[in-house]
Amino acid sequence: MSDTEAAGPAAAASGAESTGPQDQTHHWWRLIAIWVVLSAVLDPLFYFLAGPHIPPGTMTDTAQGAQFDFNVLIVIALPVLLAVWIYMIYAFVMWRASRGGPEPVGGQAASGHLGIQVGWILVTTVIVLFLAGFGTYELVQPGGAGGGEGSNPIWTPTSKTILPVQVIGQQWKFTYRYPTFGGFETDQLVVPNDTTIEFNVTSLDVVHSFWAYQLGVKADANPDYNNVAYATTQQLGSFIVRCAELCGIWHGAMYNNGVVLTPQQFLAWARLTEVRLRKNTSLLPPYALTYTPDANGADGSYYPDSVDPYSNVEQYGAPQPKGGG
Ligand SMILES: [Cu+2]
């Protein structure tokens, strides 16, 4: 500390008189020392203290993968940020013009300095190439990265049992069909814990994007297309589902909560719901990977005419209003 204080006026003087290069090099070594110490302290502090709380959390393997990726990116970015800030603050403190003092004079120009040029290109190249390789590996790793992989996914999970859940985007809500439970349809996403879920994402109208934030899943919902995404649940609790593609006037209303239950709870819920909704399910088009918009109702709707499957008032099979046009 006393060294820093003692060097202050000397550095200002050296700047003013633009003396020999040895006066400049001790600034560099001091800057590097401050940078190394702060990076070595703040990087592990961030990784171990803040890291476990970085979104999207650890509810699924893909969410945990995304959290790990964010943490690696921040651990690499933090020393870069520190380098800029330390240099800036150091310059403010050491090379500022003092009231009534001599006008500050610039030091030796760095242009044409071979070491800086080679070092700059080398360091940035290594960082960028490493991140490109790391990012590619993280995308490909078993089961993909929670993004839609299209209708023929090449990165498939290794789990023996996979629960398929169909996500149907429509203006303006998501509904979910469970083909292994008779193809019933709900407006809340319910999934079991410790299970690999295969999301089959499609749409009845425009392009939506199924974004189950804490599950680490985000996949486009296109009409006439089955977009597959995987995630393996590893934590109980509720999560948020949003539409992440501007899809019309009530896009912002495509918001709901989903829930991860224990496998036993899920099984009980699914079996009960299958029975409870049997009458509704028989009115839906048979389960398919995609649906044409006029698969059912005469007016070109996925749902039967004049029936809102989520209304508390309207009933399935209710008589059609006459002469409405
Ligand atoms: Cu939408």
Side-chain angles (χ1 to χ4, degrees), residues 302-314:
Y302 173 83
Y303 301 109
D305 288 346
S306 75
V307 167
D308 176 359
Y310 305 103
S311 165
N312 295 323
V313 183
E314 292 181 51

Side-chain angles (χ1 to χ4, degrees), residues 5-325:
E5 283 154 13
S14 79
E17 291 154 27
S18 64
T19 49
Q22 70 271 29
D23 290 315
Q24 307 295 324
T25 48
H26 86 271
H27 287 302
W28 280 113
W29 288 120
R30 194 184 292 159
L31 280 164
I32 288 168
I34 297 170
W35 175 73
V36 166
V37 169
L38 275 183
S39 298
V41 170
L42 289 182
D43 254 353
L45 264 185
F46 166 81
Y47 190 83
F48 291 108
L49 292 185
H53 307 288
I54 292 296
T58 54
M59 211 161 194
T60 64
D61 62 335
T62 56
Q64 193 164 8
Q67 183 189 70
F68 174 72
D69 297 347
F70 281 135
N71 286 339
V72 168
L73 288 178
I74 295 170
V75 161
I76 292 171
L78 201 59
V80 177
L81 182 89
L82 282 173
V84 175
W85 281 19
I86 289 168
Y87 187 83
M88 189 175 73
I89 292 166
Y90 190 89
F92 282 166
V93 173
M94 300 301 287
W95 298 312
R96 71 182 187 278
S98 50
R99 213 181 285 276
E103 274 291 300
V105 179
Q108 215 178 15
S111 64
H113 190 291
L114 194 69
I116 289 178
Q117 287 172 343
V118 171
W120 187 271
I121 290 169
L122 210 69
V123 168
T124 50
T125 304
V126 165
I127 292 176
V128 168
L129 286 183
F130 167 75
L131 287 178
F134 173 77
T136 307
Y137 171 76
E138 290 290 288
L139 271 178
V140 177
Q141 64 168 338
E149 297 186 40
S151 50
N152 282 308
I154 47 172
W155 305 316
T156 49
T158 49
S159 325
K160 284 197 187 81
T161 53
I162 295 178
L163 176 77
V165 176
Q166 184 172 51
V167 179
I168 307 174
Q170 56 214 277
Q171 289 170 319
W172 285 275
K173 75 194 304 175
F174 287 108
T175 56
Y176 308 93
R177 289 190 82 170
Y178 294 78
T180 46
F181 294 91
F184 73 77
E185 182 177 21
T186 64
D187 60 353
Q188 195 194 22
L189 178 54
V190 181
V191 289
N193 198 13
D194 295 319
T195 307
T196 299
I197 318 289
E198 179 189 282
F199 293 102
N200 293 87
V201 184
T202 189
S203 168
L204 295 182
D205 37 51
V206 300
V207 180
H208 302 269
S209 176
F210 169 66
W211 182 24
Y213 160 59
Q214 288 92 341
L215 299 189
V217 174
K218 194 177 188 188
D220 277 357
N222 296 278
D224 205 23
Y225 191 78
N226 176 39
N227 194 12
V228 180
Y230 297 100
T232 303
T233 50
Q234 52 187 27
Q235 233 171 62
L236 297 169
S238 68
F239 54 86
I240 291 166
V241 174
R242 280 191 178 89
C243 180
E245 186 71 60
L246 186 58
C247 60
I249 194 166
W250 293 114
H251 157 71
M254 288 182 72
Y255 174 94
N256 201 356
N257 287 300
V259 63
V260 181
L261 302 175
T262 66
Q264 295 78 19
Q265 285 173 328
F266 172 80
L267 213 60
W269 170 83
R271 283 179 178 152
L272 185 74
T273 309
E274 183 180 355
V275 173
R276 202 168 56 82
L277 292 183
R278 187 159 282 156
K279 214 172 155 190
N280 294 8
T281 308
S282 69
L283 291 164
L284 293 174
Y287 180 82
L289 292 179
T290 64
Y291 305 93
T292 47
D294 57 352
N296 205 321
D299 62 352
S301 163
Y302 173 83
Y303 301 109
D305 288 346
S306 75
V307 167
D308 176 359
Y310 305 103
S311 165
N312 295 323
V313 183
E314 292 181 51
Q315 294 290 314
Y316 268 105
Q320 306 286 304
K322 282 180 183 170

